[in-house]
Amino acid sequence: MTPILELRNITRIYGEGDNRVIAVDSVTLSLNRQEMLLIMGPSGSGKTTLLSMMGCILRPTDGEVIIDNKVVSDSDEDMLPDIRKQYFGFVFQSFNLFPSLTAVDNVELILRLKKHDRKKLQADALRLIERFGLAKRGDFYPSDMSGGEKQRVALARALAGDPPIILADEPTANLDSKTGLDVLRHLKGLAVEAQKAIVIVSHDPKAETMADRVVYLEDGKIKDK
Amino acid sequence: MYWLALKTLFHEKGRLIITLIGIVFSTVLSLTQIAMYLGMMGNATSILRHVDADIWVAAKNIQNFDFANPFPEERINRVNAIPDVVWSDKLILTWGFLKLANGGQEQVQIIGFNPDSGIDVPWNILAGNPEDLKSGRYMIIDKTAEQRVGRLELNTIWELNEKRFKLVGLSEGIKSFTTSPIVFMSYNQAQGFMTMTGRKSNHASFIVARLKDKGLSRDVAETLKVSLKDNDVFTKKDFIYKTVMYWTVQTGMGMGFFLTAILGLIVGGAIVGQTVYANTMEHLREFGTLKALGARNSDIYKVIFAQTGISAVAGYTIGSVLILLAKDGIEKAGVSLYLSAGLFLSLFFVILLTCLLSAYFSVRKVRTLDPATVFRM
Ligand SMILES: Nc1ncnc2c1ncn2[C@@H]1O[C@H](COP(=O)(O)OP(=O)(O)O)[C@@H](O)[C@H]1O
Ligand SMILES: [Mg+2]
């Protein structure tokens, strides 16, 4: 089976001259369907930069990003939103939910963005929310939810529109260990049951035990351990 | 995305209210200023516009309709000498003092005309008949004068510059720029008032003429300018224009209204721009997240513009309703407001445009928002 996503010799350099930082240095990496890949490494090692390039949010300075056998790293700027829409769900450290939307509406928003069938918007948003154990929280605003609940809404949102890849940057960093574990289990579930490819950036030792594969990053390079 | 616009707009009620206050303020201020200005200009030209004449002859160097000076009335013969003239007539505009029941006096504008000609002054007759003015000391007063002179009852006798006049009719809504009450009487009677102010008799204030064809107005006016060297000759349009320009430009009044109206727009626009910008900044992380998830800039612009547009429509409607409710009260205080569908519509587009322009900074912020930063927010 071909990988859903491949990085070939990918490099990202920030700044110029004295401020030049090689955040990611010639990384080659592939991601398989139904796989949960964990990226670990010290702060500043380039994890977020790498994840952003995987998600077509950030352009590599050099190298190729290949999704579903198509080279996308040289796509027009104009094409990138549609690529992201089609292939990716994102989960953030600080949830990034719309404070003025309820849990269900936060999910419905993404369904609308992805031009989901109009008649099924609300039902499908609700189903996604329920899938993450939030049946009773659908009408709650983010300000009335716990961190774990918010991150589960974010998972439901990432899954909206059924993208094949979900990228999560330190999804448990703002959660206590128990709710963090819960969120990781849900992510694992997405890989196993929903056949998603999952990439998690995390320092969390619990993630290490759950991941199918772990990649260590140091100074922008993959390190064997 | 309009869905998102509505959801967030009504969720943040405090900010919505501030936005609406800004727009209502703009609407009320600009609308009243423009309506007052148009109302005043309407009054300043009401007789001018209503008399169905194509040509107006006035004394030399007249500034506007109300500042009429007398000139010899026999000059009407020169006007009648023009073959294209269907009819012509003389008009008098002069001033007098009406003695009030409480012993006080009120300065009034006197319009003297020949009720037999087709001049159709006064119009909007509530009671009586202009024909009744023909033979003696009779007058018609406009009902709006009641604010100034007290109750106007038919067949009562009033003293005008010590002459006794009988009130035989009432018109409604005929006002002049000066806000002095307007008294209509026969040409001969009015001429008497001009004589009293030291003028020779047989003088007129205006000669008006109707032509076979309105299209000839300019040519006839040019011809008459040659034969009436000591007069100013206008087409109807030019005299209206001259009068409006006098009050607007020479008195500086137009500039005053204009500046206040613009100020209203600027203050309102600033409030709207400020709240929309604050709203955008507050949602920057979410907008960035949307971009990361595949939203285009245009999707987010739609949200911002829709919110601004909805606020503009709501605020403008509230402001307009407030003005319509206050209209009677304002007019009772003697201020004429000219409010037409055209005015409401045009100002709506101006306010909408102001609001959308004020969203510009928010839109620029979104355009330069890099979705890669959302992992770092
Ligand atoms: N926008 C940026 N401009 C300049 N340098 C950056 C930028 N983003 C990240 N960096 C630098 O790139 C390196 C890698 O950062 P990052 O990818 O955030 O690492 P991590 O997520 O592992 O902490 C760091 O040295 C960081 O300072
Ligand atoms: Mg990071």
Side-chain angles (χ1 to χ4, degrees):
Chain A
M1 202 165 68
T2 56
I4 179 81
L5 185 131
E6 284 179 83
L7 303 179
R8 288 194 192 147
N9 280 318
I10 206 152
T11 297
R12 174 70 201 204
I13 299 171
Y14 291 114
E16 286 169 32
D18 288 348
N19 297 322
R20 191 176 134 107
V21 177
I22 306 176
V24 171
D25 193 355
S26 300
V27 167
T28 295
L29 186 65
S30 62
L31 176 68
N32 298 313
R33 294 162 213 262
Q34 273 184 278
E35 176 183 44
M36 180 158 159
L37 173 71
L38 176 66
I39 300 174
M40 296 186 97
S43 181
S45 58
K47 305 182 297 293
T48 297
T49 304
L50 187 66
L51 198 72
S52 305
M53 289 191 290
M54 283 180 166
C56 299
I57 286 176
L58 187 69
R59 270 185 190 282
T61 312
D62 201 8
E64 284 179 335
V65 179
I66 297 153
I67 301 174
D68 223 1
N69 286 323
K70 288 184 294 272
V71 177
V72 296
S73 42
D74 54 5
S75 300
D76 255 22
E77 195 68 39
D78 212 38
M79 301 290 295
L80 295 179
D82 286 341
I83 293 171
R84 296 200 291 263
K85 219 189 275 186
Q86 188 183 350
Y87 288 101
F88 297 100
F90 293 94
V91 179
F92 306 88
Q93 179 177 342
S94 38
F95 323 126
N96 296 12
L97 299 174
F98 262 94
S100 46
L101 297 183
T102 62
V104 171
D105 285 348
N106 262 287
V107 176
E108 185 178 335
L109 172 63
I110 302 309
L111 289 175
R112 284 174 180 270
L113 181 70
K114 298 191 174 179
K115 302 275 183 282
H116 196 72
D117 183 354
R118 288 215 154 225
K119 275 172 276 175
K120 294 196 287 186
L121 280 170
Q122 271 171 330
D124 287 351
L126 195 60
R127 192 168 315 130
L128 281 165
I129 284 290
E130 283 166 358
R131 176 188 182 124
F132 293 93
L134 293 164
K136 294 203 174 82
R137 292 284 187 270
D139 291 336
F140 280 42
Y141 287 93
S143 54
D144 300 324
M145 286 189 279
S146 70
E149 287 168 342
K150 279 190 266 199
Q151 199 60 303
R152 280 184 279 151
V153 175
L155 289 174
R157 177 176 70 176
L159 201 58
D162 211 21
I165 307 166
I166 289 175
L167 306 177
D169 194 8
E170 318 227 12
T172 61
N174 281 349
L175 303 176
D176 63 52
S177 128
K178 194 168 150 290
T179 48
L181 181 63
D182 182 46
V183 165
L184 287 171
R185 283 204 178 114
H186 277 294
L187 279 165
K188 179 76 184 174
L190 290 181
V192 176
E193 294 152 24
Q195 281 105 48
K196 302 296 170 195
I198 314 272
V199 181
I200 301 176
V201 166
S202 183
H203 298 289
D204 199 330
K206 295 188 294 296
E208 218 173 341
T209 61
M210 260 187 249
D212 298 309
R213 191 151 59 100
V214 183
V215 164
Y216 293 91
L217 217 57
E218 213 172 285
D219 293 331
K221 291 196 184 79
I222 289 183
K223 215 182 104 187
D224 297 323
K225 207 173 181 180
Chain B
M1 287 293 117
Y2 298 118
W3 175 86
L4 177 62
L6 283 170
K7 287 257 174 183
T8 50
L9 188 66
F10 291 110
H11 188 75
E12 269 132 53
K13 294 198 180 63
R15 196 161 278 154
L16 176 63
I17 287 168
I18 296 172
T19 311
L20 288 179
I21 288 173
I23 299 169
V24 169
F25 172 84
S26 269
T27 304
V28 168
L29 200 61
S30 335
L31 204 54
T32 45
Q33 290 297 303
I34 297 171
M36 268 164 71
Y37 169 77
L38 293 176
M40 284 181 167
M41 292 308 121
N43 289 343
T45 57
S46 70
I47 292 177
L48 206 43
R49 283 180 294 121
H50 198 84
V51 170
D52 193 12
D54 305 314
I55 297 288
W56 283 75
V57 178
K60 197 82 190 163
N61 296 327
I62 188 168
Q63 298 288 327
N64 71 72
F65 175 78
D66 284 310
F67 294 0
N69 278 319
F71 59 88
E73 63 184 7
E74 77 268 3
R75 290 185 194 162
I76 195 170
N77 297 329
R78 317 255 181 95
V79 176
N80 287 332
I82 306 256
D84 294 315
V85 169
V86 180
W87 61 256
S88 70
D89 206 352
K90 300 165 288 187
L91 270 182
I92 286 188
L93 188 166
T94 185
W95 303 87
F97 286 97
L98 190 70
K99 195 162 176 192
L100 306 185
N102 63 15
Q105 285 197 335
E106 181 72 39
Q107 190 173 29
V108 295
Q109 188 173 60
I110 297 169
I111 303 289
F113 67 103
N114 170 15
D116 285 332
S117 75
I119 207 161
D120 193 22
V121 172
W123 61 98
N124 275 354
I125 298 290
L126 284 180
N129 188 332
E131 296 277 313
D132 302 341
L133 297 175
K134 263 195 297 202
S135 47
R137 291 188 177 176
Y138 302 119
M139 62 180 181
I140 292 177
I141 302 187
D142 195 84
K143 190 144 172 69
T144 52
E146 281 193 328
Q147 285 162 25
R148 310 280 285 266
V149 303
R151 249 186 84 68
L152 291 168
E153 258 179 281
L154 281 188
N155 300 319
T156 47
I157 306 289
W158 296 70
E159 253 183 56
L160 195 52
N161 287 18
E162 264 113 53
K163 290 186 196 172
R164 289 156 65 81
F165 273 78
K166 188 172 177 183
L167 181 67
V168 295
L170 291 171
S171 66
E172 190 176 37
I174 306 179
K175 297 190 212 172
S176 79
F177 182 83
T178 61
T179 73
S180 292
I182 299 186
V183 174
F184 296 94
M185 61 179 65
S186 72
Y187 183 82
N188 291 337
Q189 290 297 335
Q191 214 167 30
F193 285 89
M194 276 212 302
T195 326
M196 285 170 78
T197 52
R199 304 286 178 177
K200 283 181 250 127
S201 58
N202 56 50
H203 272 50
S205 307
F206 301 107
I207 293 167
V208 296
R210 167 92 152 274
L211 305 180
K212 278 191 200 116
D213 175 6
K214 277 194 201 314
L216 298 169
S217 301
R218 187 150 311 278
D219 292 344
V220 171
E222 291 307 318
T223 313
L224 277 172
K225 274 179 197 167
V226 177
S227 61
L228 289 166
K229 286 248 178 304
D230 297 325
N231 287 80
D232 278 352
V233 182
F234 301 99
T235 63
K236 179 177 187 166
K237 228 165 108 187
D238 287 350
F239 200 16
I240 292 172
Y241 182 76
K242 170 124 190 145
T243 297
V244 167
M245 288 316 274
Y246 175 82
W247 294 119
T248 305
V249 178
Q250 262 149 288
T251 63
M253 197 190 76
M255 196 49 116
F257 280 108
F258 179 73
L259 285 179
T260 315
I262 292 288
L263 194 73
L265 289 178
I266 291 173
V267 171
I271 294 174
V272 174
Q274 171 58 35
T275 50
V276 171
Y277 189 72
N279 208 28
T280 308
M281 289 306 287
E282 207 162 89
H283 285 117
L284 217 49
R285 180 208 297 263
E286 289 80 48
F287 286 146
T289 304
L290 275 185
K291 277 177 119 175
L293 290 165
R296 293 176 176 277
N297 282 339
S298 56
D299 292 324
I300 300 169
Y301 297 166
K302 267 185 217 161
V303 176
I304 293 173
F305 282 131
Q307 289 185 338
T308 313
I310 293 163
S311 306
V313 172
Y316 188 74
T317 308
I318 297 170
S320 303
V321 169
L322 287 180
I323 290 206
L324 287 174
L325 291 177
K327 183 177 192 276
D328 280 355
I330 294 172
E331 296 213 313
K332 281 230 170 61
V335 179
S336 302
L337 289 182
Y338 175 84
L339 293 168
S340 66
L343 175 60
F344 276 116
L345 203 66
S346 338
L347 194 68
F348 169 69
F349 285 112
V350 173
I351 298 252
L352 184 66
L353 194 71
T354 309
C355 290
L356 293 180
L357 281 178
S358 70
Y360 167 77
F361 292 100
S362 302
V363 162
R364 202 176 61 171
K365 194 80 204 170
V366 167
R367 195 183 61 222
T368 56
L369 172 64
D370 181 357
T373 59
V374 291
F375 281 121
R376 306 180 190 282
M377 283 184 183

